[in-house]
Amino acid sequence: MSDSPERVPKLSKEEKDRRFQAELMPVLDSLYNFAFRLTLDEDDANDLVQETYLKAYRFFEYFEQGTNAKAWLFRILKNSFINDFRKKSKQPAKVDYSEIEGYYNTEDVEADGDAGSTSSDMRQQSVRDLIGDEVASALNSLPVDFRTVIILCDLEGFTYEEMAKVLDIPIGTVRSRLHRARNFLKDKLEKYAKSMGYGNDTDGTDVEDDNE
């Protein structure tokens, strides 16, 4: 971030709350879907979304009105996942979020604001309905870096440029990672595709010529 805190315009609480509700809360369901696909756990996804909105509220003055709110929130969530939830497997207890250094390198992440409440059951069902069980299982089995680019591109519709900003990687890396991720997913789905009747029209003698 190049702007210092002194140069960021301060908003009144009323204006901040109004803009926060109007610009960021519509992204809630997509944000939950992303969190659920990363954590593969409903409780962790809810915690991760709440943590993301708490950080977004605290640093809302840094959000430039008219820019991509979804990409901004996804970037915060992705960094929270990397800095926190990805390490939970090494920790027997729940993480104390108040002790985590925030994405913007602040020393004090205040639990101020409300991430809102939407039925988590409905959001989880929307994720399940989005793609079939076999595809979902194959996607979930991918390493998280490959799973992430598939989610951002093929499920959420981000451009390569937006993905590069969300993931903090060059566009070339986005392209190569997405290519590899799709190949991994294709390999994992090969048996499922055959069980659904795809690729079974011949004895396989002509299949290879059509694969590339």
Side-chain angles (χ1 to χ4, degrees):
M1 304 289 298
S2 58
D3 291 330
S4 63
E6 293 77 18
R7 294 161 63 183
V8 175
K10 296 293 291 183
L11 301 173
S12 67
K13 187 178 187 306
E14 293 74 14
E15 177 65 10
K16 180 178 181 179
D17 290 347
R18 184 192 67 79
R19 283 185 51 195
F20 185 89
Q21 182 71 28
E23 299 182 46
L24 300 191
M25 294 312 297
V27 186
L28 176 60
D29 286 343
S30 291
L31 201 67
Y32 174 84
N33 291 347
F34 184 40
F36 184 75
R37 282 293 169 202
L38 290 179
T39 63
L40 306 179
D41 181 89
E42 183 179 355
D43 290 337
D44 284 347
N46 282 320
D47 289 345
L48 185 53
V49 169
Q50 183 179 46
E51 179 70 8
T52 298
Y53 271 109
L54 291 175
K55 290 179 180 179
Y57 186 85
R58 176 164 173 76
F59 298 102
F60 186 65
E61 285 82 2
Y62 288 92
F63 173 67
E64 184 179 349
Q65 190 172 14
T67 59
N68 192 330
K70 184 177 177 180
W72 190 67
L73 284 172
F74 270 53
R75 183 174 182 178
I76 296 174
L77 188 146
K78 183 268 301 183
N79 280 280
S80 295
F81 173 72
I82 291 175
N83 295 333
D84 176 13
F85 288 85
R86 224 172 173 181
K87 301 174 183 176
K88 284 180 63 177
S89 60
K90 301 178 182 179
Q91 301 175 0
K94 281 284 187 179
V95 177
D96 183 355
Y97 297 135
S98 65
E99 296 180 356
I100 299 173
E101 182 178 9
Y103 169 65
Y104 293 104
N105 295 322
T106 64
E107 295 180 354
D108 181 24
V109 178
E110 295 178 358
D112 187 19
D114 184 8
S117 60
T118 301
S119 170
S120 61
D121 290 340
M122 291 179 62
R123 292 200 303 268
Q124 186 174 6
Q125 187 62 45
S126 70
V127 177
R128 290 171 177 168
D129 290 344
L130 191 60
I131 48 181
D133 289 342
E134 293 290 342
V135 179
S137 296
L139 177 62
N140 294 345
S141 69
L142 294 179
V144 67
D145 288 339
F146 292 132
R147 188 164 75 242
T148 300
V149 292
I150 292 285
I151 295 167
L152 294 180
C153 183
D154 296 335
L155 300 186
E156 295 297 338
F158 282 107
T159 65
Y160 289 151
E161 290 78 8
E162 290 168 340
M163 291 169 64
K165 291 179 181 178
V166 169
L167 300 174
D168 268 334
I169 58 177
I171 291 180
T173 304
V174 170
R175 293 177 183 274
S176 62
R177 189 176 295 178
L178 184 61
H179 177 73
R180 291 162 63 194
R182 285 171 172 166
N183 283 339
F184 280 137
L185 191 60
K186 178 182 176 183
D187 290 342
K188 289 178 178 295
L189 288 172
E190 189 175 43
K191 290 183 179 179
Y192 171 64
K194 289 181 178 178
S195 73
M196 296 296 290
Y198 297 103
N200 292 332
D201 295 336
T202 69
D203 293 332
T205 55
D206 299 326
V207 173
E208 292 185 359
D209 293 336
D210 297 329
N211 279 346
E212 293 298 324

